[in-house]
């Protein structure tokens, strides 16, 4: 067991928590303790928020040029410290190191560079005389101190999605990472020491209670969370009690609608990769395949073949497509959800643990499910995909939309008319066509319904961290 007690990052330096309680940080590949994380107290939150508030007084008045330069240096530092960040994160998540390096460090640096550019592109209405004798214009201003909570599935990427736009808009940040995956976020903070002014970025470690204290702090002007629906609702309620803004990126139950004219092998491979990437611990992952009844059997066969080729493995295994589930609670929950499918359903591949230690779970395909089954309606967040049939376009749309989540979806067909009709009818924040899961910094990411509200990435994501002020002056 490691005796290392991690520390908070407040006002530009690492400091111990004022509390006495701590949690074990466990490597999910072998179930060994790799560090201890403090359960930070209300006093720690007070210190971090006070530091952010002091820093806001000057950071909010910097020019977009200055904020851009800082974020560009941040991106360079991220790439320069790639190996350190990858090692830290893989200890907590078990993800393949090559995946962390490519999909979170390299992509994260690109996203920071986008946010750096977006800092200089915020727009509002032009000044004008909308009433005779008066001139009006709009100021787009930073909101203030932002309280942010990130999840364990992509610790680095989710931190960047929150920190980048908030800082680009001139805000300061207090961020609490997941209690099971804190280490890469601490490295992220460390590399900003000589880039960001003290207090602009603060990291406070802890559990759900720590997060609740951050969200409800009276000096926090806006809260942002990526997490479960349950956590998102709690954050929204707490924010509403103080009439502060909330930005929620929550769960998903993404359908892939497969029409009868597709290249079956190609579609199955693409869907399998989008289902099992990161062990299905992705709110945009394909979790429901809706396939035209004429090609059901052939697609299932191809999907099983593709799934069986996407194996979980250790962080240094070059053949591993994904790593373990993140923790014992989640591993147990996924296992129980699969075990609870009714007798009418068939687990055609997977549905079991892989190996004797660690939280590895086999890629799993389940057929014969019903629309009302929990495995169809509720988020599994593991390497599990269900298959249902439809007879026509209308039924496909009805089945796809008949869940409470509305984050991501995809349509697989060669028919342009079908694409236009179905993408318009799908009630999801993102719709891919003949692909599923690619993201770019320039396009918004966020959902509807129980998937939350607000946008990550894109100029819309930066705008979410601003407020709009109307200024009107008399011309006399």
């Amino acid at each position: 067991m490691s005796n290392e007690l991690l520390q908070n990052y407040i006002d530009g330096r690492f400091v111990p928590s004022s509390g006495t309680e701590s949690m074990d940080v466990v490597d999910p590949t072998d179930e060994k303790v790799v560090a201890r994380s403090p359960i930070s107290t209300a006093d720690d939150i007070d210190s971090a928020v006070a530091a952010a508030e002091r820093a806001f007084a000057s950071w909010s008045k910097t020019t977009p040029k200055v904020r851009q330069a800082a974020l560009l240096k941040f991106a360079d530092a991220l790439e320069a410290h790639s190996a350190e960040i990858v090692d830290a994160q893989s200890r907590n998540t078990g993800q393949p190191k090559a995946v962390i390096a490519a999909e979170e460090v390299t992509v994260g640096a690109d996203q920071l560079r986008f946010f750096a550019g977006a800092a200089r592109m915020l727009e509002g209405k032009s000044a004008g005389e909308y009433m005779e004798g008066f001139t009006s214009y709009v100021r787009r201003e930073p909101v203030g101190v932002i309280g942010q909570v990130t999840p364990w599935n992509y610790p680095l990427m989710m931190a960047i999605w929150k920190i980048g736009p908030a800082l680009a808009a001139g805000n300061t940040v207090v961020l609490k990472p997941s209690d099971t995956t804190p280490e890469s976020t601490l490295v992220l903070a460390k590399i900003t020491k000589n880039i960001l002014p003290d207090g602009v970025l603060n990291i406070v470690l802890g559990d759900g209670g720590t997060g609740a204290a951050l969200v409800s702090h009276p000096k926090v002007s806006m809260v942002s969370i990526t997490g479960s629906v349950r956590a998102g609702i709690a954050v929204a309620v707490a924010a509403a009690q103080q009439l502060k803004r909330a930005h929620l990126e929550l769960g998903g139950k993404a359908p892939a609608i497969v029409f009868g004219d597709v290249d079956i092998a190609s579609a199955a491979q693409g869907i399998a990769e989008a289902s099992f990437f990161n062990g299905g611990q992705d709110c945009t992952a394909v979790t429901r395949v809706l396939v035209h009844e004429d090609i059901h059997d052939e697609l299932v066969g191809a999907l099983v073949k593709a799934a069986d080729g996407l194996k979980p493995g250790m962080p240094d295994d070059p053949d591993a497509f994904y790593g373990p589930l993140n923790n014992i609670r989640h591993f147990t929950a996924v296992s129980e959800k699969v075990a609870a499918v009714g007798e009418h359903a068939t687990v055609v591949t997977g549905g079991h643990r892989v190996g004797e230690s660690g939280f590895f779970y086999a890629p799993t395909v389940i057929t014969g499910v019903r629309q009302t089954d929990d495995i169809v309606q509720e988020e599994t967040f593991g390497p599990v995909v269900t298959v249902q049939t439809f007879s026509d376009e209308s039924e496909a749309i009805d089945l796809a939309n008949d869940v409470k989540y509305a984050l991501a979806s995809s349509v697989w067909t060669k028919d342009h008319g079908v694409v236009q009709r179905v993408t318009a009818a799908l009630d999801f924040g993102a719709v891919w066509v003949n692909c599923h899961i690619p993201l770019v910094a320039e396009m918004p990411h966020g959902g509807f319904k129980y998937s939350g509200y607000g946008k990550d990435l894109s100029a819309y994501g930066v705008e979410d961290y601003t407020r709009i002020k109307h200024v009107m002056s008399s011309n006399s």
Side-chain angles (χ1 to χ4, degrees), residues 369-391:
V369 295
R370 298 169 182 163
Q371 185 68 12
T372 55
D373 289 347
D374 283 349
I375 200 75
V376 172
Q377 291 292 324
E378 299 298 331
E379 189 172 40
T380 305
F381 218 60
V384 179
V385 65
T386 62
V387 183
Q388 298 166 264
T389 62
F390 64 85
S391 59

Side-chain angles (χ1 to χ4, degrees), residues 14-193:
F14 284 98
V15 294
S17 168
S18 62
T20 58
E21 295 185 82
S22 65
M23 303 169 290
D24 291 338
V25 179
V26 176
D27 184 336
T29 66
D30 58 13
E31 305 177 53
K32 294 181 179 178
V33 174
V34 293
R36 290 184 298 125
S37 179
I39 300 177
S40 295
T41 66
D43 288 342
D44 298 321
I45 296 293
D46 285 343
S47 296
V49 172
E53 191 175 25
R54 290 191 299 271
F56 181 76
S58 56
W59 180 254
S60 62
K61 294 181 174 61
T62 56
T63 63
K65 178 181 178 180
V66 169
R67 298 197 296 274
Q68 180 194 46
L71 288 172
L72 289 174
K73 290 179 181 177
F74 190 177
D76 291 343
L78 184 65
E79 290 178 326
H81 290 82
S82 177
E84 182 181 3
I85 291 169
V86 168
D87 286 344
Q89 182 152 307
S90 67
R91 284 195 299 271
N92 296 174
T93 66
Q95 294 167 285
K97 290 183 178 180
V99 171
I100 300 172
E103 301 297 334
E104 297 199 48
V105 175
T106 299
V107 172
D110 175 72
Q111 291 165 345
L112 282 173
R113 292 181 178 114
F114 170 81
F115 292 130
R120 302 183 73 165
M121 293 295 291
L122 289 173
E123 298 176 346
K125 282 182 176 292
S126 62
E129 288 67 48
Y130 301 96
M131 178 181 290
E132 187 175 347
F134 298 86
T135 297
S136 290
Y137 63 93
V138 169
R139 289 179 57 87
R140 189 178 286 278
E141 300 177 337
V143 178
V145 176
I146 311 297
Q148 301 179 326
V149 180
T150 52
W152 43 254
N153 57 330
Y154 296 109
L156 177 68
M157 183 188 297
M158 295 299 97
I160 288 170
W161 284 19
K162 298 201 178 303
I163 295 166
L167 299 191
N171 302 283
T172 55
V173 167
V174 179
L175 184 146
K176 190 200 86 68
S178 169
D179 55 352
T180 64
T181 58
E183 292 194 77
S184 60
T185 306
L186 293 177
V187 178
L188 199 66
K190 183 181 73 173
I191 67 176
T192 68
K193 170 61 182 172

